[in-house]
């Protein structure tokens, strides 16, 4: 087994429960870690023998572009999409962070983390 990590994928998205958040938007950071079998690609040096991180990044960007009220909801969509689109992925660890959230305090970010295994 092996791990592929995409760290600090930055997006400008429109998630949140407040109407204003859907209009104004905010900065987000997504960290995605997947487990997959990397043994074949270690030997072959061929892209088709691994999980393409370009595809992973595209999934994150596309799902982050769809408005959700909750970070948990968009995170679940990302995980579901990765499992549906890339059968080689056996485990996903995902963190979605809203930077400078409007919560009435000096908070750099709010983050949710989800971990799922292929069933």
């Amino acid at each position: 087994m092996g791990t592929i990590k995409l760290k600090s994928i930055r997006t400008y998205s429109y998630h949140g429960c407040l109407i204003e958040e859907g209009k104004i938007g905010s900065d987000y950071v997504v960290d995605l870690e997947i487990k997959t079998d990397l043994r074949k690609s270690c030997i072959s040096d061929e892209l088709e023998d691994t999980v393409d991180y370009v595809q992973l990044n595209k999934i994150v960007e596309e799902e982050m572009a769809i408005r959700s009220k909750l970070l948990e909801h968009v995170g679940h969509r990302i995980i579901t999409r990765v499992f549906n689109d890339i059968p080689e992925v056996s485990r996903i660890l995902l963190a979605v962070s809203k930077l400078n959230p409007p919560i009435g305090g000096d908070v750099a970010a709010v983050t949710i983390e989800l971990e799922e295994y292929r069933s």
Side-chain angles (χ1 to χ4, degrees):
M1 289 304 259
T3 303
I4 296 175
K5 297 179 183 181
L6 280 73
K7 296 182 179 182
S8 299
I9 302 168
R10 289 177 291 283
T11 70
Y12 196 86
S13 302
Y14 297 87
H15 308 300
C17 292
L18 302 175
I19 294 171
E20 295 80 17
E21 292 175 295
K23 295 176 182 177
I24 298 168
S26 185
D27 291 307
Y28 292 80
V29 174
V30 177
D31 294 308
L32 176 64
E33 176 180 311
I34 62 109
K35 290 280 189 191
T36 190
D37 189 344
L38 297 176
R39 292 175 290 189
K40 187 173 181 183
S41 61
C42 286
I43 295 167
S44 73
D45 196 29
E46 296 295 336
L47 182 59
E48 62 263 13
D49 293 332
T50 192
V51 173
D52 187 352
Y53 52 79
V54 172
Q55 184 181 8
L56 291 169
N57 186 66
K58 182 180 178 198
I59 290 169
V60 169
E61 289 181 343
E62 289 176 355
E63 294 301 326
M64 287 297 291
I66 302 168
R67 177 167 162 67
S68 288
K69 290 185 279 183
L70 300 178
L71 299 180
E72 295 90 326
H73 187 259
V74 70
H76 176 72
R77 283 201 328 266
I78 292 168
I79 288 171
T80 300
R81 177 98 181 272
V82 170
F83 279 144
N84 287 342
D85 290 5
I86 309 172
E88 298 82 13
V89 173
S90 61
R91 176 189 155 267
I92 300 171
L93 180 60
L94 176 76
V96 180
S97 300
K98 178 185 280 193
L99 306 182
N100 301 310
I103 61 174
D106 187 11
V107 178
V110 171
T111 303
I112 62 100
E113 289 185 349
L114 301 171
E115 181 176 15
E116 294 289 336
Y117 294 83
R118 184 177 294 281
S119 50

